[in-house]
Amino acid sequence: MASVRRLLAHSQDSNYLDLRMSPLGQWCLQALRSSLRDLRVAAGRTLTVFLQEGLEDTFLHQNRITALEFLRGLSERSGLALQETCLLAWGQIAIISSEYEMNLVLLRLIEYLGHTNPLICGLAYEEFLEITQFYTIPYLIATRRKDILQRIVNACGPEHSIKSLCMGHAQLAAILAFLLLQPSTDQETMIMSLLKEASPDFKDADIIELMRSEPMLTAFELLKVAGEEEGGRSARVHQAIHTLADYSQRRSGSTKSSSRRSGGVGPFFEQHVIGIMALLSDIVGEREGLRSLSEKRRCIGAIREMIRLAKSHVCNALPQICACLQSAIEDKDLCNEAFGVWIILVGTLGEEDIENLVNPTFAIIAQHWQSFNASIHERTYQMISLLLNSHSGMVREMINSIPSLDSIPLLSKFASELSKLKAQSDPRHQFQAFSIRCQNENPTVVLRALAELELYLTEFQAFLHVSSVSEQPDPVITQLVRSLLDACVRLSGGSSPIAILCAKCLGLIGCLDPTRIEAARDNQDILVLSNFGKASETIEFVIFFIQGVLVKAFLSATNTRAQSFLGYVIQELLKFCTFDTSVTFRDGSTQSSDTYRRWVAIPETVRNTLTPFLTSKYVLSSPGVPSCVYPLYKPGITHSQWLRDFVFDSLRKGCGANAAEMFPVFRRAVRGQDISIPSFLLPFVALNIVVGGTEDQRNEIASELLTVLSQTVPENNQFFRDNIVSCSENVFQVLDYFSRWVHEKKRELAGMISSAARQGRTLSNTETEPHLVQIARAEGFLSVIPAKVMSQRAMECRSFSRALYYWEQYIRQQKNHGLDSNELENLYEKLQDIYTHIDEPDGIEGISSHLQVLNIDQQVLEHRKAGRWTAVQSWYELQLTEKPEDTEVQFNLLSSLRESGQHDVLLSTIAGLHESHATVMMTRPFAVEAAWVTGKWDKLEHYLPHRKSGFGGDFNVGIGSVLLALYKKDYHHSSEIIGTIQESIARGLSMPATTSLQACHDDMLKFHILTEIEVISGLKESEEPDLPSLLTSLDQRLNVLGAFFVDKQYLLGLRRAAMQLSKHGFSKIDLSSAWLTSARLARKGNFTHQAFNAVLHASQLGDTSATIEHSRLLWREGQHRKAIQSLEGAIAANAFRSYDYVSTNDNTAQTSQNILTAKAHLLLAKWIDRAGQTQSDVIIQQYKKAVDLYNRWEKGHYYLGKHYNKLLDSEKAKSPAKQAQTFITGETAKLVIENYLRSLAFGAKYIYQTLPKVLTLWLDLANDVDKPLDPKYGNDENFRTHAVAQRRKLFGAVNAQVKKYIDRLPPFVFYTALAQIVARICHSNQTVQAMLVEIVAKVVTTHPQQALWTLVAMLKSSSKERSHRGALCMAKVIDNVKKLRTELAGIEVRTLMTQAQRLSDDLLRLCNAELPDKVSIVSLAKQLKFKHATTSCRLVIPLESTLGPILPPVTDNINMKTHKAFSRDTITISMFLDDVLVLNSLQRPRKVSVRGSDGRVYGLLCKPKDDLRKDQRLMEFNAMINRSLKRDADSSKRRLYIKTYAVTPLNEECGLIEWVDNLKTLREILLKIYKQKNISVNYNEIKILLDQATNASNIHMFKDSIISQFPPVFHEWFVDMFPEPGAWFAARLKYTRSCAVMSIVGHVLGLGDRHGENILFEEGNGGTFHVDFNCLFDKGLTFEKPELVPFRLTHNMVDAFGAYGFDGPFRKSCELTLGILRGNEDTLMTILETFLYDPTTDFIGKKKRNAAVPDTPEGVLESVRSKVRGLLPAESVPLSVEGYVDELIQQATDPVRLAAMYIGWCAFF
């Protein structure tokens, strides 16, 4: 019978389900009379299958009649057994009956209450009537069936009465609801009469009290009745609810006549709507079990009626209503009813509330349109029409976030309107809107956003790609990628397509270079510094726990019992936080409270989940407390069991009142719950016990953690291994939290002490002692865990930063114990092993320098890290001959072959290996990749036998399957496999794996690759694409990968394979282009063999342009003559066909210009120029050929101008008698200017080389034009007259050329040199002066928000002439403004000019104001008379990010005029905060805080009595170096940089400096640590010792007597500031590299005075930050005690680099920086030249005479040039980069030089 029931439950066949005709139906009915009880009971249950919903209505109705008639006849028979069977069958039918049949069933069951047999009577009550009395009792009261009521009471037991039966919460609500619906002219009398008639106990009851007792439940019942169907009884229900609202809001005992009228139904619902919605949501969402479809429909109808009644008063529960309706819309059976209610809701609300519904409304329409019926379609049309017409302003404001309706023909009119509005937004704002939409918690909204984003990216991905490789990538890229990654992790569960859509969008964006774009997730973490002592902090912790852990566990729980326990915990914790229903009301009385602010700070979706728990009534009995024996960890125990036991037991030991209240609640969420709960709690609980518990409790915790760490990790048992690793990670979690807590606790204590000191008092011992005790206990606990044990376990857990962190601590400990060199070398070998697993390319070499002899494994390791794969291959080939079966050796050999690009050899090697199962599994990915790279499709098919799914977990194998399907033209299968791989990767993303782009780089690369295969192969396009545009897009996509050479080569190999198999028919030239790109990458990466191989493939495809790359390779190998001959031969043979066409502005076809030929000519010109074996005229002609071939090419003009500049410098160096006439007359300078200006018209790659030089040469010509010829040129009057005349003529031509390009070049070009232009604004030549004014005015007119800072400073100059020139510029700007196209734009600029001058006056007054002594905080308004009302303006806040222009990307065809150098969303000044911090230094600079238009607060330092123009120009110089560092692949990969900041002069004496937060000076850091170690600094004693140590014979004293007093401690600052190992390693690396960059740059510039106050460190990331640049160009050598070291590299700084000291990252970073400076020498010297010849700023200054120190601009330039080239003083042969760096390091660490430093420099620190 049970089998029949299961069978029929899945059948719709009437032959089986007809109860009258079906044999199975008849058997079921007859079985109800069987003598076997089990068969009778089973038959009763099976009977319901014939009566279930889903059958045809007529058919179902007939079955129900048949069943009811049969049971009625059966019940009339005598016999106890049949009566029991009948009773059970009636009960089963009651469960699935409609309301009509339900009434019949209930009446029949009630009759059984009077049965003579007590068993039958009891069964009737206990099994059925107890469940159904909720529905029957109201009916019995209304029909005055007191006798049946009494029977029910009797069945309940003697302690019950009719009144007690009626007064249950839910029962009373059901009774009142039923009675309120009964027709009556006097409902109050009728209700009380019926109740009193049912029971005399009601005679003293008050109708108002009854109504007020359960108003929410009563309204809930009434609404469900109204929701049954529209019309019908709804009018009566509405009246009943009005009556209920009236009574529930009256005072007890009042009457209608005496009581003031209540507030009505609106306020009633305002108070109870959240509770009502919780009840309705429980049914619709089936939170407490399955519900019938009719019941759900009734609840949706109830929501409809509630909205109609309450109107906008439902807003308190708007999130709950939306969530409930959206869950119903997802159900196809409910979607029409639910969205119909949604339409009513939208039509009911005001604009403020509708705004939050627009996005989900449109998303639902787009997502579910096909599921809606015609009626809903029509109503939707009307709703959207209403929205667009009645709320047009709101729609315009949020247009970019509104989902598209383009896919719905009926709504095409509205879709068109919306599209027109969206078209007004640029891609940046569109992408910004998409990122916000993807952050939405609503999955439907996110789904629609992703679907639209995929289409938008297909068209506009170029915006992201171009921006990502620009100097300042747009922040919107970071926002978008972060949103997509978070959405993927958050919403990719279940069957939702969100995962695959995220994958596709990320693939279209591409694998962005994480060294340029770092989309790091904000670390959401919490520290409980008070150890649960402070109530406010404890509440914040509880909210964090609920929001981040408990709610997620509750929603993911599938076990109702587990959910109930979690519900109890959430309920109790909400009470602990003092949350109750009042926080859900939106009135003024609650919104000002801290409790309300905490509640609304919780995300809306989380609040929706928590709201029902504000009124829930969960109760649990107290658990037992089993005794535990430590250690809890035993071999074989599972990780989850150990963690739960450990946390569960620890929670009973809470210390402190708050912990004692919370921890017992926490315990109920540990056992049998999600493992994330105890994992989260463990660190906090452990700290609570360690800091506040007993010694025994501390020992228990410590022994438990040590037990876990001391377990041996088995190699051959993966289960036990995983368990130990997981347990160990929990231990790491605890120790990390302890370390962070100690660090923050110390900072808190230091802050308390500092605050007290500012108030003039000292903290007492009673105030500090508790903190010190807690810190000591935590530190003592940390010291119990041996560093060696931690490092070893971290290695086993593959946590390599942690392993390094502890192993270096262990090495320090061993050094302090006097370990000998041999034992120390063993420790370094282990350290090297750790570095092999860390993505840090320089550490291994650094460690190797400390090893005396490298064994073969260490040598191979160095070769691998350095990319010397040929050497690695040779070693493993030897190994393989000795161990042919060793899979590790096989793997290493195949890896080396793959990395070196020898794929043919790789396939041959695999074929020769023994085919064991292990070998086949290991080699398959290698073989598959090699097969598709080489295009051997038969081999590919061989290595991919019968792989239907196409994706066995290995990415290479999956790619091979895709390509094989393409080869077989099975495009559908290809798409399926790609989708499977995308979804698998996307669903595998986790929170830790997506913390940053660096962390998920591999996954991003896979998405990138899969997208390219789809695009290239033609799987995505339905029509033939524009191939040139596609190839351009592919080039841009390759660029975004940055310096990841291996990834680029892998991608190019895949592109070539996909092109061969594509539907689009790529040409051989397209394929060869990919080969040549590979060759170029290989050449730049010094992989010459790969490069030649790629060139050979390109040549085989018939691409004659391969000759250029072949020639480049010859040149790189030193075969210069052969390279030139090869290139000349190709040019002579006209080998380069025309592939590129340029169109003129009138769109007519211009004569085709062969870019390749132009590039070949330019390359040849550069080579013969560099070779120095050809006359200048020939070289010039060669450069001109390149320019003539392609005259719209920036590079061609630049290099021609550069050659002329070389001639200019050469002539300048000659004696006057030998100088050419072209130099004397200025003709050579004219040629330089002309060509540099032309290059600026076609690109900005060389802007910092060309524009400063143009300005310098032009202005120098203007200086000389009216001067007589220098007597040094002789006395020939004819020559002198001719030369002067020619000079004037040429100068006029130069002016005309400059004038032409002032009009032609976009203003941002001149903005980049605005400081230089303004510096020369007082030029003596009137024509030049007027042109300079014109340039400044043009820049200010176009970019007023940025450039006005410079112009206003000129106006405020103390020089009358400069101030006058500023006024002329301002007048010219006003004149320009009048010519602007729109009057509004002109008004805005004039307003901005007025605001700028007013703000400048205020800031100057602030700088110069006299301040009282010993005051650290002053008021802007009160004490400095700052006018807050006038300070808000649209000037940008002077920050580096707002003042720096964004240059156009480096491409061959850039439109300079249309480029936007500044974002439209730039940060402007909103207001100045009133408090000003006064710094305690000589000039007392003032820090002001400015609130920006983005809402954030920015700091600015106002510096009085300091000419900041020198600082400003130096920051420009450092910014130029940063640009060079970013462009270089190796430095970019290492993220080398100089920390820069904005400097904005206000005049010659005052200015603003961008404030950089969280900096600490080296001196402050070291003194603090030494003080903690009781090491004092006796400067007098040290000075005496230093004086003695300067003698060569006493130099040992410096180390033995001075340095020994101050052991290296700087490394402790990094351990203290960055307690988490990953952050510690990143910070130390940043410190090391930034220190190296600034050391080299500082040495080149002759930057001195690098004492401990002028070198600072960023507390947030460890970066180095230098200040005070007054001591430049070797001025330090002129001190009384010369500064002899090239940069600061004292023992503390070296020790903080790590175990490898200055070898490794520091040395490598120094070498890279110097190499880049050497490679950009021309740019460097050009920028410096403009500084040194600036008439307004003295960079050299007055200093003591010293023959070694230059005191003229020419001398300074020569000194800098010598350093860049590697020339030591008095040496004529330059050193290599490596040799020069080594020499500098030796000098910087030379004890003789250090001992000679003045004492304030503190060489001993």
Side-chain angles (χ1 to χ4, degrees), residues 1427-1604:
K1427 300 174 184 175
H1428 283 290
T1430 62
T1431 56
S1432 175
C1433 72
R1434 295 189 63 248
L1435 274 183
V1436 298
I1437 300 177
L1439 311 171
E1440 187 178 32
S1441 59
T1442 58
L1443 292 177
I1446 302 170
L1447 295 183
V1450 180
T1451 58
D1452 287 336
N1453 293 304
I1454 186 69
N1455 190 334
M1456 293 284 284
K1457 292 184 178 179
T1458 59
H1459 174 71
K1460 292 180 174 59
F1462 296 98
S1463 168
R1464 286 192 292 178
D1465 296 334
T1466 191
I1467 305 165
T1468 58
I1469 297 170
S1470 179
M1471 64 176 290
F1472 282 74
L1473 305 190
D1474 194 59
D1475 284 347
V1476 178
L1477 175 67
V1478 182
L1479 275 63
N1480 189 24
S1481 60
L1482 181 64
Q1483 304 301 340
R1484 306 195 73 195
R1486 304 99 208 258
K1487 182 209 170 189
V1488 296
S1489 299
V1490 186
R1491 188 177 300 283
S1493 54
D1494 61 346
R1496 295 175 58 189
V1497 175
Y1498 299 88
L1500 297 173
L1501 186 67
C1502 299
K1503 286 200 77 176
K1505 301 175 185 177
D1506 193 355
D1507 188 353
L1508 295 181
R1509 289 176 297 178
K1510 186 188 296 184
D1511 298 68
Q1512 183 189 35
R1513 302 303 290 277
L1514 197 63
M1515 283 301 110
E1516 290 176 7
F1517 179 80
N1518 287 345
M1520 183 276 297
I1521 292 174
N1522 275 338
R1523 283 190 289 272
S1524 301
L1525 292 171
K1526 279 184 180 179
R1527 281 197 295 265
D1528 181 81
D1530 287 326
S1531 71
S1532 172
K1533 202 168 185 178
R1534 291 169 174 81
R1535 307 187 189 197
L1536 302 187
Y1537 77 106
I1538 301 173
K1539 180 69 176 179
T1540 55
Y1541 47 88
V1543 179
T1544 309
L1546 295 172
N1547 60 18
E1548 291 86 349
E1549 295 182 344
C1550 304
L1552 305 174
I1553 295 178
E1554 180 181 353
W1555 182 266
V1556 181
D1557 284 314
N1558 302 318
L1559 294 173
K1560 281 283 188 290
T1561 66
L1562 177 65
R1563 185 173 185 273
E1564 180 184 0
I1565 291 168
L1566 295 178
L1567 285 176
K1568 180 181 177 182
I1569 299 174
Y1570 283 135
K1571 185 178 180 181
Q1572 291 171 352
K1573 295 180 178 295
N1574 295 320
I1575 298 174
S1576 58
V1577 185
N1578 188 328
Y1579 290 102
N1580 292 327
E1581 178 187 330
I1582 293 170
K1583 188 175 185 305
I1584 295 169
L1585 290 172
L1586 281 173
D1587 290 339
Q1588 295 173 359
T1590 51
N1591 189 317
S1593 60
N1594 293 333
I1595 193 61
H1596 64 89
M1597 293 179 63
F1598 179 70
K1599 185 175 182 179
D1600 298 339
S1601 303
I1602 301 175
I1603 294 294
S1604 60

Side-chain angles (χ1 to χ4, degrees), residues 165-387:
L165 194 68
C166 294
M167 289 301 289
H169 296 295
Q171 190 66 71
L172 179 61
I175 293 168
L176 292 175
F178 192 84
L179 296 181
L180 282 168
L181 291 173
Q182 303 308 307
S184 174
T185 55
D186 186 351
Q187 283 191 310
E188 178 177 341
T189 304
M190 179 269 292
I191 291 171
M192 292 310 300
S193 171
L194 288 172
L195 288 174
K196 290 174 183 176
E197 190 172 336
S199 172
D201 295 339
F202 280 107
K203 65 179 180 180
D204 296 325
D206 183 0
I207 183 67
I208 295 175
E209 285 299 321
L210 291 173
M211 292 287 189
R212 290 177 63 182
S213 61
E214 292 298 336
M216 182 186 73
L217 286 172
T218 307
F220 168 66
E221 293 299 328
L222 288 169
L223 287 169
K224 282 202 297 180
V225 174
E228 289 179 9
E229 57 182 39
E230 294 200 51
R233 295 198 292 172
S234 60
R236 190 182 297 174
V237 173
H238 288 195
Q239 182 58 44
I241 290 175
H242 277 88
T243 303
L244 173 66
D246 181 34
Y247 278 114
S248 64
Q249 294 173 83
R250 286 191 204 174
R251 292 182 181 177
S252 180
S254 64
T255 64
K256 287 184 180 179
S257 58
S258 62
S259 173
R260 181 174 55 85
R261 292 296 298 170
S262 68
V265 75
F268 171 81
F269 275 112
E270 209 167 88
Q271 183 178 1
H272 299 295
V273 63
I274 289 178
I276 293 170
M277 275 312 304
L279 295 170
L280 292 169
S281 297
D282 283 346
I283 296 171
V284 175
E286 296 184 329
R287 293 177 184 170
E288 296 179 357
L290 295 175
R291 299 291 182 141
S292 68
L293 188 60
S294 59
E295 191 172 6
K296 292 180 184 179
R297 283 187 173 139
R298 188 181 301 123
C299 288
I300 292 170
I303 298 172
R304 178 192 67 233
E305 296 305 316
M306 181 171 66
I307 295 169
R308 286 175 171 169
L309 275 165
K311 301 193 182 323
S312 62
H313 294 281
V314 299
C315 288
N316 279 342
L318 194 57
Q320 289 85 348
I321 293 172
C322 292
C324 180
L325 290 177
Q326 280 194 260
S327 68
I329 290 169
E330 295 295 328
D331 186 337
K332 64 179 177 21
D333 293 321
L334 299 173
C335 63
N336 286 293
E337 290 91 338
F339 194 66
V341 176
W342 187 286
I343 293 171
I344 294 171
L345 179 66
V346 171
T348 302
L349 299 176
E351 186 164 293
E352 180 185 349
D353 295 305
I354 287 179
E355 186 175 349
N356 298 322
L357 292 186
V358 171
N359 200 331
T361 299
F362 279 71
I364 290 167
I365 293 168
Q367 185 70 19
H368 296 283
W369 182 258
Q370 298 301 326
S371 301
F372 296 153
N373 59 31
S375 172
I376 294 297
H377 286 172
E378 184 179 349
R379 291 174 64 191
T380 302
Y381 186 96
Q382 294 167 356
M383 175 187 67
I384 295 177
S385 178
L386 178 69
L387 278 174

Side-chain angles (χ1 to χ4, degrees), residues 101 438 1020 1061 1351 1376:
E101 289 96 355
C438 289
K1020 293 193 75 170
L1061 304 172
L1351 180 53
N1376 289 348

Side-chain angles (χ1 to χ4, degrees), residues 1299-1310:
K1299 172 64 177 167
K1300 181 173 79 172
Y1301 280 95
I1302 290 174
D1303 297 333
R1304 183 175 294 181
L1305 293 176
F1308 79 84
V1309 172
F1310 296 104

Side-chain angles (χ1 to χ4, degrees), residues 567-583:
Y568 168 79
V569 173
I570 293 172
Q571 166 191 290
E572 296 304 304
L573 292 180
L574 290 175
K575 290 178 185 175
F576 180 86
C577 297
T578 67
F579 290 145
D580 55 32
T581 52
S582 65
V583 296

